[in-house]
Structures are given as C-alpha cells and as structure tokens.
Amino acid sequence: MNTLVTEIRAIITKEKGARRRIKFPLTLWLFILPALTPLTIFWIYPMLYSLYISFTDWDYMSTEYNFVGFSNYADLMTNPLFYGVLWNTLYFSVGVVVPSVFGGLLLAMLVVKKQKGMGFYRTLIFSPWVTPAVAVSIVWSWIYEPQIGLANWLLTAVNLPALEWTSSTTWAMPAVIIVTIWKGLGWCMIFYLNALKKVPESLYEAAALDGASSWQKFLNVTLPLISPTTLFLVIITAVDALQAYDQIQVLTQGGPAGSTRTILYMYYQSAFEQFNMGQATAVATVLVILTASLSLLQFMFSRKWVHYE
Amino acid sequence: MKQLFTYTTKHFFLLLFSFVMIFPFLWMVVSALKTKEEIFQFPPTLWPETPMWHNFIDAWQLAPFGQYIFNSAYTAIAIVAIQVVNSALIAYAFTHFRFKGKNLLFAIVMLTYMLPAAATYVPSYVILADWNLLDTHKGLIFSNAVSVLGIFLFRQAFMQIPKELVEAAKMDGASHWRILWKVIYPLSKPTFLTFVLISFVQNYNSYLWPTLILNSEEKQLVTTGLRQFFIQEGAYGIQWPLIMAASSFAVIPLLLLFAFAQKWFISGISDQGLKG
C-alpha cells in the first residue's frame, strides 16, 4: 500500500515537472542553442554543402562554377590513381588495426594484475598517445634517416640490410604504419584492461575445476567475454586509420610515387593543393561512406558490448 | 620456481617493451644535445660527449616557440571551456527536458559523431573565409566550438544521476542552470575531467585544420610552427639537433601534463568507453 502511494506520488510529480518544463521553451532553447548553432554551421551544413560541391566543377578561385552531375564520381571510379589510394588506405588500415588490437590485448594481459610496477608500465606504454603526431613523426623521421638513422643502425647491428625507409616505395608504408601503431598501442591496451577486469573470477575458477589449462581458459573464457571490446577496437581504430594525415604529411607527403597516399591525404591534396574542390568533395563523400559504414557496424553491434558491462 | 621464472620473464619483457615505447622521446632529447658533427656519426653515440644544452636556447630563439606554445595552449583552453559548457547544457536538455523532436535531435547529433571531421573542411573553410575569420584564433575557436563526443559523454553521465535528486532541487526552487552546476556537475566530475583532458590534448595536438586556416607566423600553433621549422631548418638534414630540440618543446609539455594526470587519463578513458 505504502509503495503504491509513493509510486503514485512520483508519477504526479513527474507529470507536474513535465508540464512545467514544457511551459518554458525559452529556457530549453538557451540550453540547446549554444551547442546546436556551431553544430549546424560547422558540421551539418558543411556535410550537405560538401555533397553539393561534389556535383560541381568549382575551383575555389572563381565565383562561377558548373553543375556537372556525377562526373566527379565517374572520374574517380575510372581513375587508376584512386584505386591505388583505396588500396593504400586498406593496406594502412589493416596494417595498423591488426597489430594494435592484438598487441593491445597482449600488453593488457601482462599488466592487468595488481602487482608492483604495473601502473608504471601502463603509463609508459600509453604516453605516446598524448603527444602531437606531427612532433613525434619528426622524431621518427630522424630515426628512419637512411644513412645514419637509428633504425638502420639496429638493422645492421643484427646483420640485416639497411632500408631506405620513407624514400622507398616498399618501405614507406610500413614506416608510417609503425609510427601509427607505436602511438596507438596504449590506447587499445587501456580498453582491454577494462574489459579483462570485468571478466568474473568465478568463470576462471569453474574452468580450473574442469581441468582447463591457461591456454584453454584464455580461448574459452577470456576471448569470448572480451570479444565485444575487440570488435569495438577494430572499428574505432579503423575509423581513425581512415583519417590518418599528420604522420603521413611529415614522414612521406604521400610519396614516394604515391605509395603512402591514403584517402584523406588525397582529399587534402585535391582540395588544398590543386583546388579541385569538385573532386576533393567527391573523395570526401567516399570517406564519409566508408566511415559511416564502419560506424553503422559499431552501432549495430553496440547492444552486444553494452550487454556484457 | 616456475612462478618466479614467469614473473621475472614478464617483468623483463615489460621493462624492455616500455623502454622501446619511450625510446623515441629519449632519443629526441639526446639528439637535441649533440653537436652537428656528432649527430652524423655512424654508429650513433648513445650519449653526447659534451651535452650541448645551448641547442635548446638556440632553437627557442630561431622561431617564436614561446608564442606558438602560448597560441596552442590558449586556443585549446578556450575551445575546451566552450565545449564543456555547451555540451553540458545540451546534454542536460537531453536528459532533463521533455520536448518535441528530442529523439530526432539526438539522432542527428549521433550521426554527426559518426562522420569524419575532415569531410567538413572545404565548406568550413569557405564559411570562415566569408566571415573574414581566416587566419584568426577566433575562427579556429569558433569552428571547434562544439564537441559531439562531449555531448555524448555528458549525456551518458547525466543519465546515471538519480532523478530524485534533480526533482528535490526543483522542489527547492532551483533553476535549471543551478541544478546543472550545483547538483549534476559535482556528481559527474570524473566525466568532466576526462573530457577536459582529452579535448585539451586533441586541440593542442591538432594540425591539419589549424594549418589550413592560420597563416601568419605569430598566430601559428606549435604543431604547425614546428613543422615549418622542420622544413626551414635545412630541410631534412642539416640542423637535426635544433629540430630535435624544437620537437622537445612541442612534446614535453604534454608528457608533463600526462605525468600529473595519468591516473585520470587511464581510468577515465577506459571507464567511458569513448573513442578518440
């Protein structure tokens, strides 16, 4: 009886509150507009406007332009250079995502236990993430220096041939990938740390009773329970990889011979070097579609990883 | 015995790995201390014969790094402050107001979250040009005035605050503004702190967009200024010690910030399950 009364009271106050809130639309606007104004001007409108420009031949300099329909897209689709760019993007993304996620998991498993020094390792491993990509890429370009760089010194020290690194079409991409992994590994580790901590101890105990080895425990308990985190990390690292720019600009400028030109780099070059806004925005549309598909996947599976928390 | 062995191997591996991870930073500082001749020695020396501390002063004087760092810090702080306030406001509206089209509005915000910022650059550039805001810090700040991540995080945090608390405050006649800052903010401080740190780091480190819109030397951010210094100073090779000294200026403030706030970075990021 008592609970019923409190419940009814709660509903009444809720109703009252609701009515009162709807009565003050001005307050509501004051809460929404400060975010909504810049969101509209610098996100929503540009997205739509970018799509519009992609159907024109605008060159930024002149005020006049023609509506050219799908020809920018058709040009992209028939341009072998663009397929090279898509291939580079795929190469870069897979090259970054797979080692970052696996490496992140391995490191997280090593530092997850509450033991002396673990916090120290975590801090060191995570530290590259907070530093500017431009600055650390400059440092890495010194490490990659072909004649006297540290990378080649290490290679020759173990009797491997020295590499041309960023000036070789074969090794430029791996060089950029290494820097990107180095910077993002700690990020993946942290997410796994959290996921591993949430695996109930009782499941391991049960598995131990069944005589499971550590490897079997990992395979049958840990891996399935952290799979939502794995999926999440694969998607967000891939989304980030699609937007990599800073390290490419410093290390290779998309070269040599376009071997590190990824989709965002191509967008930058067409828009702000060649001022071919039509083509650039068409590339942007492709980038949006790629990102949106990945995000949609994340969204579709998000229920799954919420479930485990 | 076996346990001790595993324990030692693990620590050995972790120690080695951590060392590899921070080695580029150490290498940066060590290289900054070398003379021009020493830096071209092969095999490289691990520690310079006489550390040239003067290189730091020389680099500092060759380009206005103090100005650059100030520009980065001040624009990032302004951006973060604006983002915090307006994200908190709209997140409050999403969680504590009932209004028509709320779900639609939230769906739009979520959609923006999924799209790459880069795809907005061309039109945003045109907008800033039309408003005469190119090459101004105002333009940089205003174009970053909203953070969808912030809205998302704050909404998530506000949803976990017991409704009764808010109702009670309302009964006492508190305004929405007061409720937000006196009731909700103290209870969701960790989220605020995490967001402030992450947004600050991202804005301080941002490069492509500031490079596009800022041209004059005195307005440059440290990232752009550093890159320019890198190209100017003997383009790829002559003044490496000075370039490494300059890189240290850009990197060390953030490493220091991280050293002080690492607990918040690490626990905050994993708890929120947010994306970069």
Side-chain angles (χ1 to χ4, degrees):
Chain A
M1 191 60 201
N2 224 350
T3 44
L4 188 67
V5 171
T6 35
E7 228 166 78
I8 291 171
R9 219 177 253 159
I11 292 168
I12 291 170
T13 29
K14 226 184 197 174
E15 277 302 305
K16 261 191 196 160
R19 224 174 293 145
R20 199 165 57 215
R21 271 171 262 155
I22 290 167
K23 262 189 207 161
F24 293 102
L26 180 68
T27 330
L28 178 64
W29 281 115
L30 289 177
F31 273 72
I32 293 179
L33 279 181
L36 199 58
T37 313
L39 191 73
T40 313
I41 299 174
F42 290 104
W43 280 91
I44 298 164
Y45 167 76
M47 286 286 171
L48 299 172
Y49 194 51
S50 173
L51 188 66
Y52 172 76
I53 300 173
S54 72
F55 294 112
T56 71
D57 63 355
W58 191 42
D59 66 356
Y60 187 71
M61 307 299 172
S62 50
T63 45
E64 277 175 34
Y65 56 85
N66 302 305
F67 198 75
V68 295
F70 278 94
S71 81
N72 286 320
Y73 292 93
D75 286 349
L76 276 188
M77 295 310 150
T78 51
N79 188 351
L81 199 115
F82 182 63
Y83 289 99
V85 164
L86 285 182
W87 164 248
N88 290 342
T89 310
L90 182 72
Y91 178 11
F92 177 76
S93 306
V94 175
V96 168
V97 170
V98 175
S100 305
V101 172
F102 276 108
L105 176 58
L106 178 75
L107 289 166
M109 290 184 30
L110 288 174
V111 299
V112 71
K113 282 211 187 112
K114 276 213 168 99
Q115 283 170 345
K116 236 186 174 174
M118 293 303 149
F120 175 71
Y121 298 134
R122 284 178 210 171
T123 305
L124 294 191
I125 294 168
F126 187 72
S127 59
W129 187 83
V130 298
T131 57
V134 174
V136 294
S137 302
I138 289 176
V139 175
W140 275 91
S141 72
W142 172 234
I143 293 174
Y144 284 140
E145 215 286 331
Q147 259 85 54
I148 46 185
L150 191 73
N152 277 346
W153 179 71
L154 284 173
L155 286 179
T156 46
V158 290
N159 280 324
L160 285 171
L163 300 173
E164 285 292 312
W165 293 109
T166 55
S167 41
S168 122
T169 46
T170 324
W171 292 104
M173 188 58 104
V176 178
I177 289 174
I178 288 171
V179 177
T180 315
I181 296 171
W182 169 74
K183 204 165 181 298
L185 200 56
W187 178 254
C188 292
M189 175 189 76
I190 296 239
F191 281 95
Y192 273 127
L193 268 176
N194 203 38
L196 288 173
K197 277 187 200 150
K198 282 183 179 155
V199 178
E201 207 45 54
S202 57
L203 285 178
Y204 289 121
E205 284 158 16
L209 282 180
D210 291 342
S213 67
S214 341
W215 175 246
Q216 281 169 327
K217 276 192 233 166
F218 172 72
L219 224 55
N220 300 318
V221 180
T222 318
L223 219 49
L225 281 178
I226 59 167
S227 62
T229 305
T230 307
L231 193 59
F232 170 77
L233 281 175
V234 166
I235 292 170
I236 63 159
T237 9
V239 168
D240 278 351
L242 283 179
Q243 300 186 50
Y245 172 84
D246 303 5
Q247 61 274 52
I248 300 175
Q249 154 91 351
V250 170
L251 288 165
T252 62
Q253 296 88 51
S259 60
T260 54
R261 193 192 288 119
T262 58
I263 189 157
L264 189 67
Y265 208 82
M266 181 185 186
Y267 167 75
Y268 163 78
Q269 286 183 319
S270 349
F272 300 102
E273 278 178 9
Q274 296 145 16
F275 292 100
N276 188 345
M277 294 303 186
Q279 186 193 296
T281 46
V283 174
T285 309
V286 177
L287 179 65
V288 168
I289 292 169
L290 290 176
T291 315
S293 325
L294 282 170
S295 305
L296 208 66
L297 274 180
Q298 184 193 333
F299 197 69
M300 275 163 52
F301 287 108
S302 68
R303 260 197 212 143
K304 247 187 152 179
W305 56 66
V306 169
H307 167 77
Y308 284 115
E309 273 176 12
Chain B
M1 189 61 203
K2 195 190 159 211
Q3 228 171 357
L4 185 72
F5 178 73
T6 335
Y7 183 79
T8 322
T9 330
K10 183 170 115 173
H11 272 272
F12 178 74
F13 173 79
L14 280 170
L15 210 59
L16 188 77
F17 193 81
S18 307
F19 182 71
V20 171
M21 289 301 278
I22 56 155
F23 192 78
F25 300 131
L26 300 175
W27 195 238
M28 169 182 82
V29 176
V30 170
S31 307
L33 294 173
K34 291 182 175 174
T35 60
K36 243 196 286 179
E37 291 73 34
E38 213 170 2
I39 206 162
F40 286 110
Q41 267 174 32
F42 194 83
T45 48
L46 288 178
W47 185 254
E49 212 153 294
T50 31
M52 305 291 288
W53 296 103
H54 212 266
N55 284 343
F56 284 98
I57 300 165
D58 292 349
W60 187 266
Q61 281 166 348
L62 272 170
F65 283 105
Q67 181 74 43
Y68 294 157
I69 291 171
F70 173 78
N71 291 344
S72 292
Y74 125 77
T75 53
I77 288 170
I79 289 168
V80 172
I82 294 171
Q83 285 180 349
V84 164
V85 173
N86 68 28
S87 306
L89 286 175
I90 199 169
Y92 181 87
F94 278 135
T95 46
H96 291 93
F97 279 103
R98 279 214 253 155
F99 57 93
K100 242 188 182 173
K102 182 160 97 170
N103 291 334
L104 178 73
L105 186 63
F106 187 65
I108 294 172
V109 172
M110 279 298 290
L111 212 66
T112 332
Y113 185 53
M114 294 178 179
L115 298 174
T120 65
Y121 285 175
V122 168
S124 297
Y125 184 87
V126 175
I127 292 168
L128 289 183
D130 286 348
W131 292 354
N132 282 325
L133 286 175
L134 279 185
D135 200 24
T136 64
H137 287 151
K138 242 189 269 168
L140 178 69
I141 294 169
F142 189 42
S143 58
N144 280 301
V146 68
S147 161
V148 186
L149 171 71
I151 298 175
F152 189 61
L153 277 182
F154 288 153
R155 178 178 169 270
Q156 209 84 323
F158 294 177
M159 281 195 312
Q160 279 157 29
I161 288 166
K163 287 259 189 263
E164 297 80 51
L165 276 175
V166 177
E167 291 302 328
K170 241 176 237 162
M171 294 290 184
D172 293 344
S175 66
H176 288 297
W177 176 260
R178 257 187 88 83
I179 294 173
L180 173 57
W181 298 110
K182 297 284 173 193
V183 179
I184 292 182
Y185 165 71
L187 290 170
S188 36
K189 249 186 195 158
T191 307
F192 275 82
L193 194 56
T194 305
F195 176 70
V196 163
L197 287 173
I198 291 188
S199 181
F200 179 82
V201 166
Q202 279 175 345
N203 282 294
Y204 185 96
N205 290 348
S206 74
Y207 171 66
L208 175 53
W209 179 240
T211 307
L212 294 176
I213 64 169
L214 301 172
N215 298 315
S216 13
E217 162 119 9
E218 76 276 8
K219 285 179 188 148
Q220 239 39 264
L221 300 193
V222 68
T223 47
T224 323
L226 176 66
R227 156 93 178 143
Q228 233 157 43
F229 185 77
F230 178 51
I231 297 169
Q232 277 163 11
E233 279 321 299
Y236 309 91
I238 303 170
Q239 287 289 11
W240 278 106
L242 295 183
I243 291 167
M244 289 299 115
S247 302
S248 310
F249 299 148
V251 169
I252 288 171
L254 287 164
L255 287 179
L256 286 177
L257 173 75
F258 177 60
F260 286 115
Q262 44 107 354
K263 191 185 132 221
W264 288 104
F265 272 104
I266 290 182
S267 66
I269 288 167
S270 57
D271 290 347
Q272 319 286 353
L274 51 90
K275 82 170 197 179

